[in-house]
């Protein structure tokens, strides 16, 4: 057997008379000779290139019984940058006995001269190759799903990091300050367990379900804790439906007003009906609200929304578990038709012309400041209540920025001012954006990082397809052939029906906090993305000055990984976008508590996670 090229390959070839099979040993990127080699590829990735297909199968390119010298040289320059490419070149030569010994030296010559890959249109005789979008082998391999890891994430085991985190958390709890602390903590570290056992504090969770879960799991005694009430499953179906309708159009305060009426034995329904159980539920609801407003040393378990709405007069510390960004910066939509109904009621008022002019505005993409209307908020509230509105109109008059698309007004309400300067806030999350919080809170913010923890479990990531909502619909039949349907699968909410054994209670957008899949093998299918309105309004709030929201497929470098992804061309907005996508995937894979359990997560997404084993 002839010796050829560099034999230190992480690709093992099994030679037969007809084929070459591969076994990829490691997904890491290593350095061979002068250049960093492209790792974790297989010959099948290049078979769409006709000249390579023929060379790989030992065939000729034309009338001759072999490839000519220029064709072989072009192939050699293209295989040289690939880890194992030099050996593959010689292995393919052996498949055709018509090649002379001199041809085996071509790859060594290419290496000694460090030639760059020759474009296909300079050596392949085939039109399909000349017109191929990716003119070199490396580009063809990297076209989709290929990840170049240029910097390895430094991590430490949870057993080593947790004591340091617990000590730092206790230091912050005891500090007498009005700072806002952002703890970046890996999922599964135990931040929620620490938070729910703190005495004499307000402890806020994303929703009532998580609030109740941690209230029940707390080690605090019954006389040391109290929980804010929820309307869900408390009232009759008709009353709950009525309350939900008020929530949907942003009239949250009206719910409390209606509960007060019920507590007095008055009907709130159009048909005048009144059930005794609703009266009793309203009385109990009011009592619970009264109790949490009283001076007490009990810890209050509540939601993000109520955590920011109430002033918590008797508390110095507010702990917020999981990222509250969407509560701090609310994003809503109001229709022009709803605003027109309001305008017709106030058209003779001062500043009514501002509202009329806004309604008549054409679509525009770059958010601008919402006008200061100077309307009586109580009057606007009454109008919203009396009209049959279908969108969140009332909050628009407290908004900061807006833009218009298809007759719908997208706007944001900034609640940063609700963070009292007389209290200490502790935000605990794994994937919150440090840059966003720095822009929101400036010097008041202190960031404490414990998020880079070594996984005990394994993430097998299939990166060739994104499985965004559109991609999911297009490729779900292909997915069915490779997905282990015996495992629970987390995916997009409105596409669950396409997946056998999907998770009923968890989906993208509703992942944080749950321990339901701890120590289980699971599938994750999808790449979560907010729509562009989220980023437009976010950029305006943060003062980024973005005027171009173009997104395109491009090569990006992000936290030690280089890969092709569709994202914003604006560098700051691109960073925020990639952080958001990564954050949701991290939250998803860590439902299994990877840092504590030896489990396997099969992730189908084109956005590469650190510590994942990439499979192409």
């Amino acid at each position: 057997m002839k010796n050829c090229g560099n034999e230190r390959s992480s690709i093992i070839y099994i030679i037969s008379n007809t084929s070459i099979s591969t076994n990829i040993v490691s997904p890491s990127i290593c350095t061979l000779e002068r250049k960093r080699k492209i790792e974790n590829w297989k010959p099948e990735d290049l078979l769409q290139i006709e000249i390579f297909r023929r060379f790989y199968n030992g065939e000729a390119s034309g009338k001759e019984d072999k490839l000519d010298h220029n064709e072989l040289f072009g192939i050699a320059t293209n295989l040289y940058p690939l880890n194992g490419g030099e050996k593959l070149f010689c292995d393919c030569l052996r498949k055709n006995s018509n090649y002379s010994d001199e041809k085996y030296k071509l790859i060594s010559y290419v290496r000694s001269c460090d030639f760059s890959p020759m474009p296909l249109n300079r050596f392949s005789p085939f039109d399909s190759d000349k017109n191929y979008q990716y003119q070199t082998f490396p580009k063809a391999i990297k076209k989709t799903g290929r990840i170049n890891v240029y910097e390895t994430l430094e991590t430490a085991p949870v057993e080593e990091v947790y004591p340091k985190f617990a000590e730092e958390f206790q230091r912050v709890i005891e500090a007498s300050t009005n700072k806002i602390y952002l703890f970046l903590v890996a999922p599964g570290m135990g931040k929620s367990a620490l938070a729910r056992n703190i005495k004499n504090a307000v402890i806020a969770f994303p929703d009532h379900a998580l609030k109740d879960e941690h209230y029940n799991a707390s080690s605090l005694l019954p006389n040391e804790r109290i929980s804010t009430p929820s309307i869900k499953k408390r009232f009759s179906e008709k009353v709950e439906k009525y309350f939900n309708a008020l929530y949907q159009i942003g009239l949250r305060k009206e719910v409390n007003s209606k509960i007060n009426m019920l507590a007095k034995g008055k009907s709130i329904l159009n048909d005048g009906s009144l059930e005794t159980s609703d009266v009793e539920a309203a009385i109990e609801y009011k009592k619970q609200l009264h109790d949490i407003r009283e001076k007490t040393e009990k810890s209050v378990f509540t939601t993000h929304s109520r955590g920011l709405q109430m002033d918590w007069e008797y508390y110095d510390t507010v702990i917020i578990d999981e990222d509250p960004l969407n509560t701090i910066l609310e994003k809503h939509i109001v229709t022009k038709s709803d605003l027109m109904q309001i305008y017709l009621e106030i058209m003779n008022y001062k500043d009514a012309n501002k509202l009329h002019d806004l309604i008549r505005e054409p679509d525009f993409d770059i958010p601008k400041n919402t006008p200061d209307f100077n309307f009586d908020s109580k009057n606007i509230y009454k109008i919203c209540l009396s009209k049959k509105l279908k969108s969140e109109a009332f909050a628009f008059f407290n908004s900061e920025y807006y833009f218009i698309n298809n007759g719908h007004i997208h706007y944001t309400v900034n609640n940063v001012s609700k963070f009292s300067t007389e209290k200490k806030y502790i935000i605990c999350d794994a994937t919150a954006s440090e840059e966003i919080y720095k822009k929101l809170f400036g010097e008041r913010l202190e960031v404490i990082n414990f998020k880079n923890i070594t996984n005990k479990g394994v993430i097998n990531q299939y990166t060739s397809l994104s499985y965004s909502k559109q991609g999911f619909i297009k490729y779900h039949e292909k997915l069915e052939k490779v997905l282990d349907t015996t495992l629970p699968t987390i995916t997009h909410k409105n596409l669950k029906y396409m997946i056998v054994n999907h998770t009923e209670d968890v989906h993208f957008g509703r992942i944080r906090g749950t321990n339901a899949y701890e120590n289980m093998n699971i599938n994750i299918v999808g790449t979560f993305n907010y729509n562009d309105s989220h980023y437009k309004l976010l950029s305006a709030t943060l003062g980024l000055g973005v005027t171009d929201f173009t997104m395109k497929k491009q090569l990006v470098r992000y936290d030690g990984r280089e890969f092709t992804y569709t994202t914003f061309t604006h560098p700051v907005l691109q960073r925020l976008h990639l952080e958001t996508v990564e954050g949701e995937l991290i939250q998803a894979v860590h439902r299994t508590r990877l840092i504590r359990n030896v489990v396997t997560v099969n992730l189908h997404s084109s956005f590469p996670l650190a510590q994942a084993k990439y499979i192409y």
Side-chain angles (χ1 to χ4, degrees), residues 238-256:
K238 287 197 296 184
V239 168
E240 185 173 330
K241 183 178 180 180
Y242 178 71
F243 287 160
N244 286 334
L246 291 174
Y247 278 128
Q248 287 173 6
I249 60 174
L251 301 182
R252 296 168 180 81
K253 292 182 179 179
E254 188 63 19
V255 173
N256 284 334

Side-chain angles (χ1 to χ4, degrees), residues 395-412:
F396 174 71
F397 296 95
N398 294 314
S399 66
E400 186 176 34
Y401 292 97
Y402 76 103
F403 73 92
I404 303 176
N405 181 45
N406 268 350
H408 290 75
I409 298 169
H410 300 253
Y411 67 91
T412 183

